[in-house]
Amino acid sequence: MSHVPDITLDDGTTIPQLGFGVYQIPPAQTAEAVRAALDIGYRHIDTAQMYGNEAGVGQGIRDAGLARDQVYVTSKLHNGAHRPDDARRAFDGTLAALGSDHVDLFLIHWPLPTRYDGDFLTTWKVLEEFAADGRARSIGVSNFTAAQLDKLASGSSTVPAVNQIEVHPYHANDDVRAYGQAHGIATEAWSPIAQGQVLDDPAVTAIAGEVDRTPAQVVLRWHIQRGDIVFPKSSSPQRMRENFALFDFDLTADWMAAISALDRGVEGRRGPDPETFDWIPDR
Ligand code: NAD
């Protein structure tokens, strides 16, 4: 039923190009939000151990009356669980919280190069175990720089299926995207509308007026035409519906270029710098 295109990943699996992100949705409200998104037609949910709401994701899928294999679910490793036994325990916790025997995609959430002696390779080897035993259909990383991806490649022949990174018009992150493209790593764009901060940019609102769409739809369509995977977050069913209606209009090459011209490089970043980010929240 879904009109959302699938992207084929390097490992041969497919992922819906548009999904629903649940970062900052309170655990007690997550099942309801996920159910609302699934009712609208979303079939891809992006969660993480550190969001604390994996159980709500599992519940929302069951409440929507969907079989587990009708929904693509991603989760990510807690920053405090990079050591092998911690990672194994944390992954068991993800499956228990979701009430599922597998995730479709499991990611190292942050590289944390100044923690764990900078040894994310050992952590990656543990994710390889989850892929080998089938409990993670695909594995990948998040917030990795090109240099960090190189380091991973030097110690492992498993190519991350995706790299989930901050991408939006103010921080186009094209260097890391290009690295991914050259190495078979799909880019997932987090904070695709810069948490709403790009929506009143005059370049965006002008195009929205011309194409008769909302600013959010214009920016999300820009990502889709660039080929990235996106999962905007909203708690309002009306905005969920708006963010899902991206496949019945096109942006011209000129409009695409005008949005791409908003890139401010690292100045445009809204989230932390992956080279220095070292936050480990309480578990
Ligand atoms: P986003 O860019 O999706 O923006 C979400 C915010 O924008 C919402 O809180 C809402 O206030 C507003 N919004 C949503 N739809 C709107 C609309 N149609 N019109 C006006 N305002 C609207 O930001 P995000 O939640 O940070 O990112 C999306 C997802 O990416 C997250 O839920 C999470 O799954 C993922 N993410 C991953 C990482 C990572 O480190 N891997 C970091 C941040 C986010």
Side-chain angles (χ1 to χ4, degrees):
M1 66 159 269
S2 174
H3 55 278
V4 175
D6 280 331
I7 301 265
T8 300
L9 303 177
D10 197 58
D11 62 10
T13 64
T14 59
I15 181 171
Q17 191 181 8
L18 174 63
F20 179 66
V22 297
Y23 176 47
Q24 291 178 330
I25 300 186
Q29 292 162 31
T30 302
E32 189 187 338
V34 166
R35 191 214 162 123
L38 295 170
D39 285 350
I40 286 163
Y42 290 86
R43 289 293 180 270
H44 165 187
I45 310 291
D46 185 87
T47 184
Q49 292 173 352
M50 288 191 289
Y51 302 169
N53 57 15
E54 292 168 308
V57 171
Q59 189 59 47
I61 295 170
R62 289 187 292 278
D63 290 350
L66 292 171
R68 174 63 189 83
D69 64 4
Q70 290 178 276
V71 185
Y72 191 100
V73 178
T74 299
S75 193
K76 320 184 190 86
L77 183 67
H78 196 286
N79 283 355
H82 276 217
R83 291 198 181 87
D85 281 345
D86 294 338
R88 292 184 190 108
R89 259 192 303 274
F91 186 68
D92 289 345
T94 282
L95 297 185
L98 289 168
S100 176
D101 62 1
H102 72 281
V103 287
D104 296 281
L105 177 61
F106 194 69
L107 311 179
I108 298 180
H109 203 150
W110 287 91
L112 304 177
T114 64
R115 297 271 190 182
Y116 307 104
D117 300 320
D119 182 18
F120 45 72
L121 190 55
T122 295
T123 310
W124 181 242
K125 301 266 180 202
V126 181
L127 266 66
E128 288 179 335
E129 294 172 13
F130 308 153
D133 67 23
R135 293 185 302 155
R137 300 271 157 88
S138 297
I139 54 173
V141 295
S142 179
N143 298 300
F144 273 51
T145 64
Q148 290 161 347
L149 291 168
D150 264 340
K151 187 172 162 188
L152 214 57
S154 71
S156 164
S157 57
T158 309
V159 178
V162 310
N163 186 20
Q164 183 178 129
I165 53 175
E166 180 176 355
V167 183
H168 46 73
Y170 291 152
H171 185 57
N173 223 337
D174 283 332
D175 292 352
V176 184
R177 292 176 69 251
Y179 183 101
Q181 218 154 22
H183 293 85
I185 304 167
T187 295
E188 297 191 323
W190 63 251
S191 291
I193 54 173
Q195 301 199 322
Q197 291 168 40
V198 72
L199 301 183
D200 53 7
D201 190 286
V204 172
T205 55
I207 295 167
E210 287 190 66
V211 73
D212 198 19
R213 292 290 175 146
T214 68
Q217 288 173 324
V218 165
V219 173
L220 292 169
R221 180 71 204 176
W222 173 81
H223 286 283
I224 296 289
Q225 289 185 210
R226 277 158 55 96
D228 290 352
I229 299 156
V230 282
F231 23 81
K233 173 256 171 185
S234 174
S235 300
S236 124
Q238 191 194 324
R239 282 179 170 171
M240 291 179 199
R241 225 170 273 116
E242 177 184 328
N243 297 345
F244 197 62
L246 305 180
F247 300 99
D248 56 352
F249 72 107
D250 284 302
L251 299 178
T252 65
D254 284 351
W255 288 336
M256 289 293 294
I259 299 169
S260 298
L262 299 176
D263 186 18
R264 301 173 185 167
V266 291
E267 299 300 315
R269 186 182 269 147
R270 291 295 182 270
D273 181 350
E275 299 275 14
T276 55
F277 188 60
D278 64 355
W279 184 61
I280 297 185
D282 291 338
R283 309 202 65 201

